[in-house]
Amino acid sequence: MMNPIDVIKQTRNEARNVLDANADVCFLALASPNGEASVRTLVLRDIIENRFSLFINQSSPKWQLLSEGASYQLLLWYPSQQRQFRISGRSEPIDSAAVRTNWQRRPSGSKYLDYVYNEFAAQSSALDSREQLTSEIERLKSLHKPDDMTPPDQVTGVELIANEIELLDLNSDDRIHDRLRFSLSAGVWSSKPLVP
């Protein structure tokens, strides 16, 4: 039986090898309790077993939705490989020690943004101008060197735990795409072909 997680990892590695712009990102779709949909692009941090790790800030609207148990779907699209994966399941917060360890590896710009969310304005807040943001980042740079920064308390992460994965493979010469739905039950993946 094909393990969809292995297929995702292999496809992602192949995408990285050809510098696919989507190799390290994912698209997270959320549904609010009243049915409002939202989608955003995020960095996909890690894939371990059927767990997909994302780091987010608690000031973010997406954290609010996830912490309230919102339904999600994660989309991975690798144009260079002509493969799409749609991932569904449940979510859990990542252990705070793991988040803090990984935070130190983040680019300095991302660290300063976490400080902005903590000290200046929550993520997705409206600004009068972009200069307000750049001015605040310059102020923070004058106060903090990147290597001396520690993660603010609002930095967190979430694991999206897959129990269903759909694979759409567009590589068929006959243009009849391959589409499979994988389901996880009692630790074992099963699959069914779908009409594309």
Side-chain angles (χ1 to χ4, degrees), residues 171-191:
N171 288 296
S172 300
D173 289 337
D174 60 8
R175 303 282 299 156
I176 300 172
H177 310 312
D178 286 328
R179 187 172 169 206
L180 292 170
R181 178 186 297 135
F182 296 89
S183 300
L184 183 64
S185 179
V188 178
W189 288 102
S190 62
S191 67

Side-chain angles (χ1 to χ4, degrees), residues 116-171:
V116 166
Y117 306 147
N118 194 53
E119 298 179 18
F120 179 67
Q123 191 172 8
S124 302
S125 297
L127 297 170
D128 292 331
S129 68
R130 179 172 168 73
E131 286 72 33
Q132 282 182 288
L133 176 62
T134 56
S135 175
E136 179 61 16
I137 290 173
E138 288 305 314
R139 184 188 75 79
L140 290 168
K141 285 181 177 179
S142 72
L143 298 174
H144 307 283
K145 293 181 182 173
D147 291 341
D148 297 334
M149 297 171 79
T150 59
D153 290 338
Q154 291 181 314
V155 173
T156 191
V158 66
E159 287 183 320
L160 304 177
I161 303 164
N163 58 25
E164 186 173 284
I165 297 174
E166 284 190 17
L167 162 62
L168 177 65
D169 189 328
L170 305 178
N171 288 296

Side-chain angles (χ1 to χ4, degrees), residues 55 95-106 151:
F55 293 159
D95 175 68
S96 61
V99 171
R100 294 187 182 295
T101 298
N102 282 294
W103 190 86
Q104 296 300 339
R105 299 181 191 131
R106 296 184 76 187

